[in-house]
């Protein structure tokens, strides 16, 4: 499905290396016939990204996909793509980093790349995935952004299941995504891309990347409006805040966990419980202001982190903790914030587990260190 | 406003502009200038990994390279080159893509990438300027370092012998693999032109003297390479499709000791000269036998 989304987006160059559970994307891409484009079957993820870098610098729309240890192996060139300011799109099929080897999903692999100067999206369903890939191209290639973007999806839960999906037509996508016009495309001029810089120029480079990141929410909002005009439906935004207006307790979760959570919240709402949910879709840049606004009126907030930063805790929790303070929230108003480490290594995050967490949160007087909610199965 | 350097109209936009900071006696500098001449001022896109070759470019916003150049990550030049060359082909652009990499990025960290690009027969000219050390990091051992040579990580001289990268690359059955010498200009020019005429993965190996690492005199750089060729240590030859061999210059009896003596990197207590001489003899017996049994086809020799 991700491969199909790229095909209609007219990605022209792709370095491709198979890794479970991403393999099907690569197989599909290799199977497609491109009028103008080439999928290069490389020898490693590191080279897959390198091919995208070369292709993008030569001016082509570039695309690849990877997962867990493949992403870790690719890391050097993932950073390089960000620092070269190339609007490459990559699907990250979330799978638990090993060893020990584990094929199931958690978000630790893509979150480990959070500092790589890539825009990061986390998607909850097949439709969300397709829509977000198209949005990602539009945002990444915008002159105000010019950064690569990673679109994460849960391994197996999404990557190996099927759903009826509204797939846009080629004509619609061509209208939505005009051909890439990369300002620093290499042609003719004697310039060196990525050569040596002294400290000050490096600072300027990093500040420009930060400024580009800060423009993402605005560019994304425009991309969503334009999406609606072209495809006649509205995709998920940078963040979904549901039932938060009067909620005393809010749970935050990304990816497919958010869908389970939504069902739990709906059921509890039927019993007039003041529970809400927030699902961040955009992780880089982290939408601090929107998060703070969505959580501002709650008494208690619980974060479901399907990832683990050893020595700290959940990564979404760290980001949210940094958002619940001035200037995004008036000081002294922050809700109680508790982290729950759930579903690590792909354990099922069931409605029962979420119920248990809501009950724990409701009686909680103070926050403590991240709580491990292990799945005993 | 004052303008630094040459006025734009006087600027040389060849491959290597004047004013770069390369060491005196650097073989790579000669190689880049000859590359420019052999390509007859065609303007390739260069893909250069971490190595002295990218230090040559200078610091932002200047560039000693007058052609589009990508500073790639260490192991990636052949893969980045693949992407560039593939897109040039898609867009019907005739631009040549050249990977210009040191021995570290070719023999060691980059070998999987180079091997894979060769196996896919990507449309690239890959030139390894081999100074037999990690020159960029100050001269550490690489798998290109010859036996007996002292580096900062083989202070008593390297125990192992050098990897035969040309044989490895030729074994990929690529259209063209050849060695280049900075002491044999006509041979260099002819080989680059031969490579330019072909399509697919072309591998050229340049033995690049490094006075800093070799502890030799800068003015003797070219003489040293002449000695390496004449003594038989660095054979000049071509391999077509990995199968057909042509030898370009035979040893003339110059003793390899002369080459060794003029460099202070060789440790006499570690270097096994008689083993080296045996190795040279065997290598030549092999090359002579191969070139007799599998000579180039008339098509290979077309100018």
């Amino acid at each position: 499905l991700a491969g199909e989304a790229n095909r209609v987006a007219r990605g022209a160059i792709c370095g491709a290396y198979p890794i479970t559970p991403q393999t099907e994307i690569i197989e599909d891409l290799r199977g497609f016939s491109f009028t103008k484009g080439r999928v290069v079957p490389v020898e490693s993820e590191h080279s897959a990204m390198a091919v995208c870098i070369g292709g993008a610098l030569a001016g082509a729309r570039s695309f690849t996909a990877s997962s867990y240890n493949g992403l870790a192996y690719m890391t050097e060139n993932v950073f390089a793509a960000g620092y070269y300011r190339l609007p490459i799109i990559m699907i990250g099929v979330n799978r638990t980093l090993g060893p020990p080897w584990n094929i199931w999903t958690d978000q630790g692999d893509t979150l480990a790349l959070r500092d790589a100067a890539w825009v990061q999206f986390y998607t909850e369903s097949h439709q969300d995935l397709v829509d977000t890939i198209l949005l990602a191209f539009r945002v990444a290639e915008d002159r105000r952004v010019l950064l690569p973007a990673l679109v994460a999806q849960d391994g197996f839960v999404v990557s190996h299941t099927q759903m009826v999906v509204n797939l846009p037509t080629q004509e619609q996508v061509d209208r939505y995504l005009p051909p890439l016009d990369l300002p620093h495309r290499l042609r003719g001029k004697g310039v060196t891309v990525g050569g040596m810089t002294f400290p000050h120029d490096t600072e300027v480079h990093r500040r420009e990347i930060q400024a580009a990141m800060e423009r993402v929410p605005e560019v994304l909002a425009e991309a969503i409006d334009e999406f609606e005009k072209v495809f006649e439906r509205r995709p998920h935004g940078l963040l979904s805040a549901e039932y938060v207006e009067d909620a005393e307790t809010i749970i935050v979760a990304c990816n497919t966990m958010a869908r389970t959570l939504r069902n739990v919240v709906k059921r509890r709402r039927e019993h007039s419980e003041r529970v809400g949910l927030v699902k961040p879709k955009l992780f880089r840049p982290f939408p601090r202001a929107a998060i703070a606004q969505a959580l501002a009126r709650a008494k208690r907030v619980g974060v479901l982190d399907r990832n683990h930063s050893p020595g700290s805790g959940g990564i979404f929790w760290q980001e949210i903790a940094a958002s619940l303070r001035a200037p995004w929230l008036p000081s002294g108003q922050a809700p109680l914030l508790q982290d729950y480490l759930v579903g690590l290594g792909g354990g099922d995050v069931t409605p029962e587990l979420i119920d248990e967490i809501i009950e724990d949160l409701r009686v909680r007087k103070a926050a403590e260190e991240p709580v491990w909610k292990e799945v005993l199965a | 406003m004052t303008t630094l350097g040459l006025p734009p109209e006087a600027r040389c936009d060849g491959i290597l502009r004047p004013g770069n900071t390369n060491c005196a006696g650097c073989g790579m500098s000669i190689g880049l200038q000859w590359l420019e001449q052999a390509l007859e001022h065609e303007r390739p896109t260069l893909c250069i990994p971490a190595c002295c070759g990218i230090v040559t470019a200078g610091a932002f916003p200047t560039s000693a390279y007058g052609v589009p150049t990508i500073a790639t990550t260490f192991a990636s030049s052949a893969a980045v080159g693949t992407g560039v060359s593939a897109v040039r082909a898609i867009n019907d652009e005739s631009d040549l893509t050249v990977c210009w990499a040191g021995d570290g990025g070719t023999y060691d960290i980059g070998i999987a990438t180079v091997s894979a690009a060769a196996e896919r027969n990507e449309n690239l000219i890959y030139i390894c300027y081999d100074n037999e050390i990690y020159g960029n990091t100050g001269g550490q051992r690489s798998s290109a370092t010859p036996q007996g040579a002292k580096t900062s990580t083989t202070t008593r001289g390297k125990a192992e012998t050098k990897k035969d990268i040309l044989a490895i690359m030729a074994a990929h059955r690529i259209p063209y693999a050849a060695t280049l010498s900075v002491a044999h200009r006509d041979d260099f020019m002819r080989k680059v032109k031969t490579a330019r005429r072909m399509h697919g993965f072309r591998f050229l190996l340049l033995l690049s003297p490094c006075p800093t690492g070799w502890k030799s005199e800068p003015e003797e750089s070219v003489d040293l390479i002449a000695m390496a060729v004449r003594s038989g240590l660095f054979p000049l030859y071509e391999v077509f499709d990995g199968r057909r061999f042509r030898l370009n210059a035979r040893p003339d009896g110059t003793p390899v000791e002369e080459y060794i003596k003029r460099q202070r990197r060789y440790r006499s207590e570690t270097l096994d000269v008689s083993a080296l001489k045996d190795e040279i003899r065997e290598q030549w017996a092999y090359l002579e036998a191969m070139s007799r049994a599998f000579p180039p086809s008339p098509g290979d020799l077309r100018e």
Side-chain angles (χ1 to χ4, degrees):
Chain A
L1 190 64
E4 180 63 24
N6 178 58
R7 190 183 63 80
V8 293
R10 295 197 190 275
I13 188 85
C14 170
Y17 190 74
I19 183 164
T20 304
Q22 153 271 33
T23 313
E24 244 182 85
I25 301 176
I26 295 308
E27 289 169 350
D28 282 358
L29 283 168
R30 285 284 290 171
F32 291 146
S33 63
F34 291 89
T35 42
K36 275 190 119 187
R38 182 172 164 215
V39 178
V40 184
V42 290
E43 83 294 352
S44 71
E45 288 86 1
H46 192 269
S47 287
M49 184 52 65
V51 167
C52 289
I53 287 169
L57 280 169
R61 181 168 288 154
S62 309
F63 175 92
T64 190
S66 194
S67 182
Y68 88 119
N69 283 48
L71 286 167
Y73 193 67
M74 186 193 279
T75 298
E76 184 195 25
N77 279 334
V78 175
F79 274 78
Y83 293 156
Y84 286 125
R85 303 287 304 266
L86 298 174
I88 296 165
I89 302 303
M90 173 157 67
I91 305 303
V93 186
N94 287 127
R95 174 177 164 186
T96 306
L97 281 163
W101 302 121
N102 170 319
I103 62 164
W104 294 279
T105 194
D106 81 26
Q107 278 91 51
D109 55 352
T110 51
L111 287 170
L113 297 171
R114 67 190 183 274
D115 302 331
W118 283 58
V119 176
Q120 286 204 355
F121 296 101
Y122 288 81
T123 60
E124 64 165 70
S125 67
H126 305 70
Q127 187 68 60
D128 193 17
L129 175 70
V130 173
D131 296 352
T132 307
I133 291 170
L134 298 174
L135 286 171
F137 275 114
R138 178 102 182 184
V139 171
E141 293 175 3
D142 191 287
R143 290 267 175 134
R144 292 165 287 176
V145 176
L146 284 177
L147 288 170
L150 181 140
V151 182
Q153 60 163 319
D154 279 339
F156 297 103
V157 186
V158 174
S159 69
H160 283 61
T161 56
Q162 299 189 346
M163 242 176 127
V164 177
V165 164
N166 187 338
L167 200 63
T169 64
Q170 185 68 64
E171 180 274 325
Q172 284 174 311
V173 178
D174 286 347
R175 254 197 297 150
Y176 190 62
L177 296 173
L180 171 64
D181 180 17
L182 189 78
H184 52 302
R185 172 189 181 198
L186 280 181
R187 194 78 219 281
K189 267 204 222 163
V191 292
T192 298
V193 177
M196 200 173 78
T197 56
F198 289 115
H200 178 63
D201 288 322
T202 308
E203 280 173 348
V204 170
H205 175 242
R206 298 298 198 271
R207 287 184 70 159
E208 283 176 353
I209 288 175
Q210 177 65 22
M213 279 283 182
E214 285 167 10
R215 289 188 288 265
V216 167
E218 172 198 342
V219 174
L220 178 61
E222 290 173 24
I224 287 171
D225 289 344
E226 190 63 25
F227 189 105
E228 194 175 12
K229 274 186 217 155
V230 175
F231 304 109
E232 291 165 346
R233 54 197 175 75
R234 198 161 175 85
H236 291 284
L238 85 173
L239 176 133
S240 301
E242 300 166 34
Y243 308 104
V244 295
E245 292 74 20
D246 62 342
E248 289 181 352
T249 302
I250 296 178
I251 306 288
V252 183
C254 73
N255 281 23
T256 53
M257 285 191 301
R259 286 161 64 196
T260 312
L261 172 63
R262 187 174 293 125
N263 289 332
V264 172
V265 169
K266 275 185 185 160
R267 173 166 47 76
R268 284 179 169 259
R269 278 278 164 181
E270 283 164 15
H271 298 93
S272 307
E273 283 182 48
R274 291 165 72 179
V275 189
L277 79 96
V278 166
K279 183 211 71 176
K281 168 160 143 176
L282 184 66
F283 179 79
R284 276 289 178 272
F286 197 72
R288 289 197 194 118
I291 284 273
Q293 200 194 341
L295 301 177
R297 289 180 297 278
K299 290 205 174 80
R300 290 170 295 271
V301 174
V303 182
L304 308 189
D305 263 308
R306 201 177 216 169
N307 66 79
H308 176 225
S309 174
S312 179
I315 293 168
F316 276 89
W317 167 69
Q318 296 168 26
E319 296 285 341
I320 291 165
S323 307
L324 294 178
R325 61 183 65 192
W328 305 284
L329 200 67
S331 52
Q333 268 192 23
L336 182 155
L337 180 70
Q338 179 61 48
D339 191 21
Y340 298 91
L341 299 169
V342 298
L344 290 174
D348 282 340
V349 181
T350 59
E352 294 74 28
L353 185 74
I354 295 173
D355 276 328
E356 208 180 292
I357 286 167
I358 292 174
E359 291 309 319
D360 176 274
L361 195 58
R362 266 160 45 131
V363 296
R364 193 166 272 283
K365 297 276 182 285
E368 58 175 322
E369 288 288 318
V371 172
W372 290 80
K373 282 289 187 187
E374 293 162 34
V375 180
L376 301 172
Chain B
M1 203 178 93
T2 52
T3 309
L4 295 174
L6 295 168
E9 63 275 14
R11 210 170 60 189
C12 162
D13 270 347
I15 290 177
L16 184 63
R17 289 168 171 154
N20 65 72
T21 56
N22 285 357
C23 305
C26 172
M28 177 187 55
S29 298
I30 302 172
L32 284 165
Q33 289 172 61
W34 287 6
L35 176 68
E36 154 95 22
Q37 293 160 22
L39 292 177
E40 292 166 340
H41 311 292
E42 184 182 349
R43 297 166 55 72
T45 299
L46 294 180
C47 297
I48 309 181
C51 63
C52 284
I54 202 62
V55 178
T56 300
F60 178 85
T62 61
S63 174
Y65 290 112
V67 294
T69 301
I70 305 171
T72 78
T73 53
F74 205 171
S76 300
S77 72
V80 171
T82 296
V84 173
S85 151
V87 173
R88 300 280 194 235
I90 291 165
N91 289 336
D92 297 323
E93 296 166 349
S94 60
D95 309 40
L96 173 68
T97 307
V98 173
C99 294
W100 182 265
D103 47 299
T106 306
Y107 287 69
D108 290 349
I109 195 170
I111 193 163
T113 319
V114 178
S115 168
E119 182 265 337
R120 295 190 307 267
N121 200 25
E122 297 294 346
N123 192 28
L124 296 171
I125 295 183
Y126 190 104
I127 304 178
C128 171
Y129 68 93
D130 174 10
N131 55 30
E132 305 187 319
I133 40 161
Y134 284 87
N136 188 10
T137 43
Q140 292 78 32
R141 164 203 200 279
S142 81
S143 59
T145 303
Q147 196 273 326
K150 178 186 168 178
T151 69
S152 68
T153 52
T154 52
T155 48
R156 285 186 210 90
K158 187 185 169 191
E160 303 79 14
T161 53
K162 178 171 179 159
K163 196 188 265 185
D164 186 353
I165 195 76
L166 203 87
I168 293 168
M169 294 315 297
H172 288 75
R173 310 292 192 218
I174 52 176
Y176 191 57
T179 52
L180 301 175
S181 152
V182 292
H184 298 75
R185 188 176 179 278
D186 291 350
D187 182 76
F188 185 114
M189 295 291 152
R190 185 183 58 75
K191 284 172 177 168
V192 173
K193 286 182 171 144
T194 299
R196 180 65 187 105
R197 259 201 329 270
M198 294 178 172
H199 189 88
F201 198 90
R202 293 142 286 173
F203 182 84
L204 301 171
L205 178 67
L206 172 72
L207 182 61
S208 179
C210 171
T212 312
W214 293 11
K215 316 287 178 224
S216 57
E217 296 309 315
E219 67 270 26
E220 288 191 359
S221 281
V222 173
D223 292 345
L224 278 175
I225 301 305
M227 283 177 218
V229 173
R230 286 191 189 132
S231 65
L233 177 68
F234 185 71
L236 288 180
Y237 69 111
E238 295 155 279
V239 189
F240 301 89
D241 295 325
R243 292 186 178 86
R244 300 179 301 281
F245 290 67
R246 175 151 80 150
L247 306 182
N248 312 121
R250 285 190 164 71
D252 66 0
T254 302
V256 74
E257 287 90 340
E258 192 62 28
Y259 171 75
I260 289 163
K261 205 173 67 190
R262 301 227 198 159
Q263 303 169 55
R264 295 186 297 284
R265 63 172 166 157
Y266 283 101
R267 310 307 295 181
S268 56
E269 67 274 26
T270 312
L271 176 66
D272 187 340
V273 180
S274 74
L276 179 62
K277 288 185 146 177
D278 287 346
E279 204 184 296
I280 293 171
R281 230 182 342 265
E282 281 165 15
Q283 169 78 345
W284 272 96
Y286 171 79
L287 290 175
E288 295 276 13
M290 294 303 274
S291 65
R292 267 195 310 273
F294 306 103
S297 69
D300 296 336
L301 304 178
R302 191 168 49 90
E303 292 290 319

